[in-house]
Amino acid sequence: MTLCITYSLDSYRANALSDSLLTTTSKAQRAAFLPSNERIVHQNPYGVKVQIISQPEALYSERFDVLCSVAGNVSLGLQSLLYVDGFLRGTSCLWYDHIKNLIEEKVYQFWDSAGDQHLNICFAMNDHKGRIRFFELKADDNRFSFDEVAEENEILISVIGDDCVEVKKKILTRINAYCYKMELEEAIHVASVEVLKEIVEDPSSIFVGGNIQGALLNHHHAEYLVVKRGDSFTFRSADLEYYEKLTYPILDLSEERFKITGETERYPWRDFSTH
């Protein structure tokens, strides 16, 4: 019960965004005409749904970060990511394929022993040539899949969570329209942020809300985003009073094209494919 949007800006960079609303439901008796026997028992806007996991020394002693966004059972998803993060930090992984396969193996191990097996996670990472790759994990009581997300007309985007198919269609439609007045990279960013912002702020949205949170990935290095909205600042769903002391990049929702400022500059990733 959430909405996560991950999108590639170019061959080397990606952003992951999510809402922050946490919802707890329980089974209840229902009238025959109602579509569900679930009822909401609690909601709060402080959920953390974007997480960075790291392999501290990979690819010639360079850090290898993986950008993750969690839908489905958020608590279970975050626990599985923390488990994978702990494993990677104590393991010597030298190459992209090794890290990707270990992530799939360890999340499966966690899922296979869990009571509630509903997982939905998007993983964004750079391969050994620095190219952005997305993988979607979808799991329930009967199946477990870990599949790469394919580009659609040179656009790489993953949407997981509530009404994900319709939300993705809406974003792609806006990207197509915005390309007439801005570069593709900017059109992807503006459309993705705009659609998520509209759903988060929609009072009729039952399971998506709270604040927008996010992180970015740039040449194997990931950073969390501070999100600015008017005069208020949030970081991973938490309200900030002293944001000036943070060195994280800022996503400005008050600015027309949702610019991100303060991003750490990265040199183009070295190509080790010939080694």
PDB file of all heavy atoms in Angstrom, residues 244-270:
ATOM      1  N   GLU A 244      20.196  23.100   7.197  1.00  0.00           N
ATOM      2  CA  GLU A 244      21.430  23.684   6.683  1.00  0.00           C
ATOM      3  C   GLU A 244      22.652  22.847   7.037  1.00  0.00           C
ATOM      4  O   GLU A 244      23.672  22.885   6.359  1.00  0.00           O
ATOM      5  CB  GLU A 244      21.617  25.100   7.244  1.00  0.00           C
ATOM      6  CG  GLU A 244      20.527  26.085   6.853  1.00  0.00           C
ATOM      7  CD  GLU A 244      19.443  26.169   7.933  1.00  0.00           C
ATOM      8  OE1 GLU A 244      19.346  25.212   8.728  1.00  0.00           O
ATOM      9  OE2 GLU A 244      18.714  27.173   7.958  1.00  0.00           O
ATOM     10  N   LYS A 245      22.562  22.076   8.111  1.00  0.00           N
ATOM     11  CA  LYS A 245      23.704  21.283   8.544  1.00  0.00           C
ATOM     12  C   LYS A 245      23.842  19.987   7.756  1.00  0.00           C
ATOM     13  O   LYS A 245      24.856  19.301   7.865  1.00  0.00           O
ATOM     14  CB  LYS A 245      23.576  20.981  10.040  1.00  0.00           C
ATOM     15  CG  LYS A 245      23.653  22.225  10.925  1.00  0.00           C
ATOM     16  CD  LYS A 245      23.591  21.848  12.392  1.00  0.00           C
ATOM     17  CE  LYS A 245      23.679  23.092  13.266  1.00  0.00           C
ATOM     18  NZ  LYS A 245      23.628  22.758  14.711  1.00  0.00           N
ATOM     19  N   LEU A 246      22.835  19.643   6.987  1.00  0.00           N
ATOM     20  CA  LEU A 246      22.907  18.439   6.173  1.00  0.00           C
ATOM     21  C   LEU A 246      23.590  18.735   4.843  1.00  0.00           C
ATOM     22  O   LEU A 246      23.431  19.814   4.279  1.00  0.00           O
ATOM     23  CB  LEU A 246      21.511  17.879   5.927  1.00  0.00           C
ATOM     24  CG  LEU A 246      20.762  17.339   7.144  1.00  0.00           C
ATOM     25  CD1 LEU A 246      19.368  16.878   6.744  1.00  0.00           C
ATOM     26  CD2 LEU A 246      21.513  16.192   7.792  1.00  0.00           C
ATOM     27  N   THR A 247      24.325  17.774   4.356  1.00  0.00           N
ATOM     28  CA  THR A 247      25.052  17.969   3.097  1.00  0.00           C
ATOM     29  C   THR A 247      24.406  17.198   1.951  1.00  0.00           C
ATOM     30  O   THR A 247      25.026  16.974   0.919  1.00  0.00           O
ATOM     31  CB  THR A 247      26.512  17.504   3.253  1.00  0.00           C
ATOM     32  OG1 THR A 247      26.524  16.125   3.671  1.00  0.00           O
ATOM     33  CG2 THR A 247      27.250  18.353   4.271  1.00  0.00           C
ATOM     34  N   TYR A 248      23.151  16.801   2.127  1.00  0.00           N
ATOM     35  CA  TYR A 248      22.462  16.044   1.093  1.00  0.00           C
ATOM     36  C   TYR A 248      21.896  16.963   0.006  1.00  0.00           C
ATOM     37  O   TYR A 248      21.577  18.126   0.277  1.00  0.00           O
ATOM     38  CB  TYR A 248      21.319  15.233   1.705  1.00  0.00           C
ATOM     39  CG  TYR A 248      21.775  14.182   2.688  1.00  0.00           C
ATOM     40  CD1 TYR A 248      21.759  14.431   4.052  1.00  0.00           C
ATOM     41  CD2 TYR A 248      22.223  12.946   2.246  1.00  0.00           C
ATOM     42  CE1 TYR A 248      22.188  13.465   4.959  1.00  0.00           C
ATOM     43  CE2 TYR A 248      22.645  11.976   3.138  1.00  0.00           C
ATOM     44  CZ  TYR A 248      22.626  12.245   4.498  1.00  0.00           C
ATOM     45  OH  TYR A 248      23.051  11.297   5.381  1.00  0.00           O
ATOM     46  N   PRO A 249      21.752  16.464  -1.216  1.00  0.00           N
ATOM     47  CA  PRO A 249      21.105  17.255  -2.276  1.00  0.00           C
ATOM     48  C   PRO A 249      19.647  17.522  -1.937  1.00  0.00           C
ATOM     49  O   PRO A 249      19.015  16.760  -1.195  1.00  0.00           O
ATOM     50  CB  PRO A 249      21.242  16.381  -3.526  1.00  0.00           C
ATOM     51  CG  PRO A 249      21.494  15.000  -3.009  1.00  0.00           C
ATOM     52  CD  PRO A 249      22.214  15.150  -1.708  1.00  0.00           C
ATOM     53  N   ILE A 250      19.098  18.618  -2.480  1.00  0.00           N
ATOM     54  CA  ILE A 250      17.738  19.062  -2.161  1.00  0.00           C
ATOM     55  C   ILE A 250      16.858  18.992  -3.404  1.00  0.00           C
ATOM     56  O   ILE A 250      17.192  19.556  -4.447  1.00  0.00           O
ATOM     57  CB  ILE A 250      17.747  20.491  -1.600  1.00  0.00           C
ATOM     58  CG1 ILE A 250      18.527  20.538  -0.283  1.00  0.00           C
ATOM     59  CG2 ILE A 250      16.319  20.999  -1.386  1.00  0.00           C
ATOM     60  CD1 ILE A 250      18.674  21.949   0.280  1.00  0.00           C
ATOM     61  N   LEU A 251      15.728  18.305  -3.273  1.00  0.00           N
ATOM     62  CA  LEU A 251      14.691  18.289  -4.306  1.00  0.00           C
ATOM     63  C   LEU A 251      13.664  19.350  -3.936  1.00  0.00           C
ATOM     64  O   LEU A 251      13.029  19.266  -2.884  1.00  0.00           O
ATOM     65  CB  LEU A 251      14.029  16.912  -4.376  1.00  0.00           C
ATOM     66  CG  LEU A 251      12.727  16.813  -5.189  1.00  0.00           C
ATOM     67  CD1 LEU A 251      12.966  17.136  -6.658  1.00  0.00           C
ATOM     68  CD2 LEU A 251      12.105  15.426  -5.043  1.00  0.00           C
ATOM     69  N   ASP A 252      13.490  20.348  -4.785  1.00  0.00           N
ATOM     70  CA  ASP A 252      12.605  21.474  -4.495  1.00  0.00           C
ATOM     71  C   ASP A 252      11.258  21.272  -5.181  1.00  0.00           C
ATOM     72  O   ASP A 252      11.133  21.438  -6.391  1.00  0.00           O
ATOM     73  CB  ASP A 252      13.250  22.777  -4.970  1.00  0.00           C
ATOM     74  CG  ASP A 252      12.505  24.014  -4.485  1.00  0.00           C
ATOM     75  OD1 ASP A 252      11.390  23.862  -3.939  1.00  0.00           O
ATOM     76  OD2 ASP A 252      13.040  25.126  -4.637  1.00  0.00           O
ATOM     77  N   LEU A 253      10.233  20.913  -4.389  1.00  0.00           N
ATOM     78  CA  LEU A 253       8.892  20.711  -4.933  1.00  0.00           C
ATOM     79  C   LEU A 253       8.181  22.024  -5.202  1.00  0.00           C
ATOM     80  O   LEU A 253       7.129  22.043  -5.853  1.00  0.00           O
ATOM     81  CB  LEU A 253       8.056  19.867  -3.972  1.00  0.00           C
ATOM     82  CG  LEU A 253       8.545  18.446  -3.700  1.00  0.00           C
ATOM     83  CD1 LEU A 253       7.578  17.734  -2.767  1.00  0.00           C
ATOM     84  CD2 LEU A 253       8.708  17.653  -4.991  1.00  0.00           C
ATOM     85  N   SER A 254       8.735  23.128  -4.695  1.00  0.00           N
ATOM     86  CA  SER A 254       8.128  24.441  -4.913  1.00  0.00           C
ATOM     87  C   SER A 254       8.541  25.031  -6.249  1.00  0.00           C
ATOM     88  O   SER A 254       7.911  25.962  -6.752  1.00  0.00           O
ATOM     89  CB  SER A 254       8.532  25.405  -3.782  1.00  0.00           C
ATOM     90  OG  SER A 254       8.245  24.852  -2.523  1.00  0.00           O
ATOM     91  N   GLU A 255       9.610  24.504  -6.825  1.00  0.00           N
ATOM     92  CA  GLU A 255      10.135  25.007  -8.085  1.00  0.00           C
ATOM     93  C   GLU A 255       9.410  24.324  -9.244  1.00  0.00           C
ATOM     94  O   GLU A 255       9.098  23.139  -9.181  1.00  0.00           O
ATOM     95  CB  GLU A 255      11.646  24.738  -8.141  1.00  0.00           C
ATOM     96  CG  GLU A 255      12.421  25.612  -9.091  1.00  0.00           C
ATOM     97  CD  GLU A 255      12.467  25.023 -10.488  1.00  0.00           C
ATOM     98  OE1 GLU A 255      12.255  23.808 -10.632  1.00  0.00           O
ATOM     99  OE2 GLU A 255      12.708  25.802 -11.427  1.00  0.00           O
ATOM    100  N   GLU A 256       9.128  25.082 -10.300  1.00  0.00           N
ATOM    101  CA  GLU A 256       8.279  24.585 -11.384  1.00  0.00           C
ATOM    102  C   GLU A 256       8.755  23.274 -11.984  1.00  0.00           C
ATOM    103  O   GLU A 256       7.954  22.380 -12.271  1.00  0.00           O
ATOM    104  CB  GLU A 256       8.181  25.646 -12.488  1.00  0.00           C
ATOM    105  CG  GLU A 256       7.272  25.231 -13.639  1.00  0.00           C
ATOM    106  CD  GLU A 256       7.213  26.275 -14.743  1.00  0.00           C
ATOM    107  OE1 GLU A 256       7.939  27.292 -14.645  1.00  0.00           O
ATOM    108  OE2 GLU A 256       6.454  26.074 -15.703  1.00  0.00           O
ATOM    109  N   ARG A 257      10.054  23.116 -12.141  1.00  0.00           N
ATOM    110  CA  ARG A 257      10.578  21.900 -12.767  1.00  0.00           C
ATOM    111  C   ARG A 257      11.303  21.001 -11.769  1.00  0.00           C
ATOM    112  O   ARG A 257      12.080  20.144 -12.148  1.00  0.00           O
ATOM    113  CB  ARG A 257      11.463  22.260 -13.956  1.00  0.00           C
ATOM    114  CG  ARG A 257      10.671  22.973 -15.055  1.00  0.00           C
ATOM    115  CD  ARG A 257      11.401  23.029 -16.368  1.00  0.00           C
ATOM    116  NE  ARG A 257      10.583  23.638 -17.408  1.00  0.00           N
ATOM    117  CZ  ARG A 257      10.956  23.777 -18.674  1.00  0.00           C
ATOM    118  NH1 ARG A 257      12.147  23.360 -19.072  1.00  0.00           N
ATOM    119  NH2 ARG A 257      10.143  24.340 -19.559  1.00  0.00           N
ATOM    120  N   PHE A 258      11.040  21.208 -10.487  1.00  0.00           N
ATOM    121  CA  PHE A 258      11.485  20.315  -9.412  1.00  0.00           C
ATOM    122  C   PHE A 258      12.991  20.058  -9.472  1.00  0.00           C
ATOM    123  O   PHE A 258      13.448  18.909  -9.447  1.00  0.00           O
ATOM    124  CB  PHE A 258      10.727  18.981  -9.485  1.00  0.00           C
ATOM    125  CG  PHE A 258       9.247  19.127  -9.622  1.00  0.00           C
ATOM    126  CD1 PHE A 258       8.582  18.637 -10.738  1.00  0.00           C
ATOM    127  CD2 PHE A 258       8.493  19.766  -8.644  1.00  0.00           C
ATOM    128  CE1 PHE A 258       7.212  18.765 -10.870  1.00  0.00           C
ATOM    129  CE2 PHE A 258       7.117  19.908  -8.767  1.00  0.00           C
ATOM    130  CZ  PHE A 258       6.478  19.407  -9.881  1.00  0.00           C
ATOM    131  N   LYS A 259      13.764  21.129  -9.510  1.00  0.00           N
ATOM    132  CA  LYS A 259      15.211  20.990  -9.629  1.00  0.00           C
ATOM    133  C   LYS A 259      15.818  20.340  -8.388  1.00  0.00           C
ATOM    134  O   LYS A 259      15.330  20.506  -7.278  1.00  0.00           O
ATOM    135  CB  LYS A 259      15.863  22.356  -9.860  1.00  0.00           C
ATOM    136  CG  LYS A 259      15.600  22.935 -11.250  1.00  0.00           C
ATOM    137  CD  LYS A 259      16.346  24.238 -11.439  1.00  0.00           C
ATOM    138  CE  LYS A 259      16.120  24.809 -12.846  1.00  0.00           C
ATOM    139  NZ  LYS A 259      16.824  26.102 -13.029  1.00  0.00           N
ATOM    140  N   ILE A 260      16.893  19.607  -8.621  1.00  0.00           N
ATOM    141  CA  ILE A 260      17.693  19.038  -7.534  1.00  0.00           C
ATOM    142  C   ILE A 260      19.010  19.796  -7.487  1.00  0.00           C
ATOM    143  O   ILE A 260      19.732  19.873  -8.486  1.00  0.00           O
ATOM    144  CB  ILE A 260      17.948  17.539  -7.757  1.00  0.00           C
ATOM    145  CG1 ILE A 260      16.629  16.765  -7.704  1.00  0.00           C
ATOM    146  CG2 ILE A 260      18.924  16.997  -6.704  1.00  0.00           C
ATOM    147  CD1 ILE A 260      16.772  15.284  -8.012  1.00  0.00           C
ATOM    148  N   THR A 261      19.330  20.364  -6.336  1.00  0.00           N
ATOM    149  CA  THR A 261      20.560  21.146  -6.172  1.00  0.00           C
ATOM    150  C   THR A 261      21.435  20.495  -5.111  1.00  0.00           C
ATOM    151  O   THR A 261      20.955  19.788  -4.228  1.00  0.00           O
ATOM    152  CB  THR A 261      20.254  22.587  -5.756  1.00  0.00           C
ATOM    153  OG1 THR A 261      19.496  22.583  -4.529  1.00  0.00           O
ATOM    154  CG2 THR A 261      19.453  23.305  -6.822  1.00  0.00           C
ATOM    155  N   GLY A 262      22.731  20.760  -5.205  1.00  0.00           N
ATOM    156  CA  GLY A 262      23.659  20.261  -4.195  1.00  0.00           C
ATOM    157  C   GLY A 262      24.095  18.830  -4.408  1.00  0.00           C
ATOM    158  O   GLY A 262      24.694  18.224  -3.513  1.00  0.00           O
ATOM    159  N   GLU A 263      23.818  18.270  -5.590  1.00  0.00           N
ATOM    160  CA  GLU A 263      24.227  16.897  -5.852  1.00  0.00           C
ATOM    161  C   GLU A 263      25.746  16.808  -5.946  1.00  0.00           C
ATOM    162  O   GLU A 263      26.395  17.654  -6.552  1.00  0.00           O
ATOM    163  CB  GLU A 263      23.606  16.404  -7.160  1.00  0.00           C
ATOM    164  CG  GLU A 263      23.967  14.982  -7.528  1.00  0.00           C
ATOM    165  CD  GLU A 263      23.335  14.541  -8.835  1.00  0.00           C
ATOM    166  OE1 GLU A 263      22.481  15.284  -9.354  1.00  0.00           O
ATOM    167  OE2 GLU A 263      23.713  13.477  -9.341  1.00  0.00           O
ATOM    168  N   THR A 264      26.318  15.791  -5.309  1.00  0.00           N
ATOM    169  CA  THR A 264      27.751  15.583  -5.367  1.00  0.00           C
ATOM    170  C   THR A 264      28.184  15.276  -6.793  1.00  0.00           C
ATOM    171  O   THR A 264      27.608  14.423  -7.445  1.00  0.00           O
ATOM    172  CB  THR A 264      28.178  14.417  -4.453  1.00  0.00           C
ATOM    173  OG1 THR A 264      27.730  14.698  -3.123  1.00  0.00           O
ATOM    174  CG2 THR A 264      29.678  14.240  -4.452  1.00  0.00           C
ATOM    175  N   GLU A 265      29.182  15.992  -7.269  1.00  0.00           N
ATOM    176  CA  GLU A 265      29.650  15.768  -8.630  1.00  0.00           C
ATOM    177  C   GLU A 265      30.461  14.469  -8.692  1.00  0.00           C
ATOM    178  O   GLU A 265      31.244  14.155  -7.809  1.00  0.00           O
ATOM    179  CB  GLU A 265      30.520  16.937  -9.108  1.00  0.00           C
ATOM    180  CG  GLU A 265      29.736  18.235  -9.290  1.00  0.00           C
ATOM    181  CD  GLU A 265      30.586  19.329  -9.882  1.00  0.00           C
ATOM    182  OE1 GLU A 265      31.745  19.029 -10.250  1.00  0.00           O
ATOM    183  OE2 GLU A 265      30.106  20.462  -9.993  1.00  0.00           O
ATOM    184  N   ARG A 266      30.258  13.718  -9.754  1.00  0.00           N
ATOM    185  CA  ARG A 266      30.986  12.466  -9.954  1.00  0.00           C
ATOM    186  C   ARG A 266      31.672  12.511 -11.317  1.00  0.00           C
ATOM    187  O   ARG A 266      31.107  12.992 -12.297  1.00  0.00           O
ATOM    188  CB  ARG A 266      30.029  11.268  -9.928  1.00  0.00           C
ATOM    189  CG  ARG A 266      29.246  11.138  -8.634  1.00  0.00           C
ATOM    190  CD  ARG A 266      30.130  10.739  -7.490  1.00  0.00           C
ATOM    191  NE  ARG A 266      29.362  10.642  -6.251  1.00  0.00           N
ATOM    192  CZ  ARG A 266      29.899  10.648  -5.056  1.00  0.00           C
ATOM    193  NH1 ARG A 266      31.204  10.774  -4.919  1.00  0.00           N
ATOM    194  NH2 ARG A 266      29.153  10.556  -3.977  1.00  0.00           N
ATOM    195  N   TYR A 267      32.884  12.010 -11.345  1.00  0.00           N
ATOM    196  CA  TYR A 267      33.552  11.870 -12.628  1.00  0.00           C
ATOM    197  C   TYR A 267      32.969  10.664 -13.358  1.00  0.00           C
ATOM    198  O   TYR A 267      32.546   9.704 -12.725  1.00  0.00           O
ATOM    199  CB  TYR A 267      35.051  11.673 -12.425  1.00  0.00           C
ATOM    200  CG  TYR A 267      35.729  12.891 -11.875  1.00  0.00           C
ATOM    201  CD1 TYR A 267      36.096  12.948 -10.538  1.00  0.00           C
ATOM    202  CD2 TYR A 267      35.971  13.990 -12.693  1.00  0.00           C
ATOM    203  CE1 TYR A 267      36.714  14.080 -10.016  1.00  0.00           C
ATOM    204  CE2 TYR A 267      36.582  15.124 -12.185  1.00  0.00           C
ATOM    205  CZ  TYR A 267      36.957  15.161 -10.845  1.00  0.00           C
ATOM    206  OH  TYR A 267      37.533  16.273 -10.333  1.00  0.00           O
ATOM    207  N   PRO A 268      32.935  10.706 -14.680  1.00  0.00           N
ATOM    208  CA  PRO A 268      32.420   9.537 -15.419  1.00  0.00           C
ATOM    209  C   PRO A 268      33.121   8.265 -14.968  1.00  0.00           C
ATOM    210  O   PRO A 268      34.333   8.233 -14.800  1.00  0.00           O
ATOM    211  CB  PRO A 268      32.751   9.882 -16.885  1.00  0.00           C
ATOM    212  CG  PRO A 268      32.794  11.373 -16.909  1.00  0.00           C
ATOM    213  CD  PRO A 268      33.362  11.786 -15.578  1.00  0.00           C
ATOM    214  N   TRP A 269      32.337   7.243 -14.785  1.00  0.00           N
ATOM    215  CA  TRP A 269      32.858   5.980 -14.264  1.00  0.00           C
ATOM    216  C   TRP A 269      33.845   5.359 -15.239  1.00  0.00           C
ATOM    217  O   TRP A 269      33.638   5.326 -16.440  1.00  0.00           O
ATOM    218  CB  TRP A 269      31.694   5.018 -14.030  1.00  0.00           C
ATOM    219  CG  TRP A 269      32.131   3.757 -13.370  1.00  0.00           C
ATOM    220  CD1 TRP A 269      32.249   2.530 -13.948  1.00  0.00           C
ATOM    221  CD2 TRP A 269      32.519   3.597 -12.015  1.00  0.00           C
ATOM    222  NE1 TRP A 269      32.669   1.613 -13.041  1.00  0.00           N
ATOM    223  CE2 TRP A 269      32.855   2.234 -11.843  1.00  0.00           C
ATOM    224  CE3 TRP A 269      32.632   4.456 -10.931  1.00  0.00           C
ATOM    225  CZ2 TRP A 269      33.283   1.726 -10.619  1.00  0.00           C
ATOM    226  CZ3 TRP A 269      33.055   3.943  -9.726  1.00  0.00           C
ATOM    227  CH2 TRP A 269      33.378   2.599  -9.584  1.00  0.00           C
ATOM    228  N   ARG A 270      34.934   4.863 -14.678  1.00  0.00           N
ATOM    229  CA  ARG A 270      35.931   4.202 -15.518  1.00  0.00           C
ATOM    230  C   ARG A 270      35.380   2.900 -16.081  1.00  0.00           C
ATOM    231  O   ARG A 270      34.707   2.162 -15.390  1.00  0.00           O
ATOM    232  CB  ARG A 270      37.184   3.910 -14.682  1.00  0.00           C
ATOM    233  CG  ARG A 270      37.939   5.166 -14.270  1.00  0.00           C
ATOM    234  CD  ARG A 270      39.002   4.812 -13.247  1.00  0.00           C
ATOM    235  NE  ARG A 270      38.382   4.425 -11.989  1.00  0.00           N
ATOM    236  CZ  ARG A 270      39.065   3.850 -10.979  1.00  0.00           C
ATOM    237  NH1 ARG A 270      40.333   3.595 -11.114  1.00  0.00           N
ATOM    238  NH2 ARG A 270      38.450   3.557  -9.842  1.00  0.00           N
TER     239      ARG A 270
END
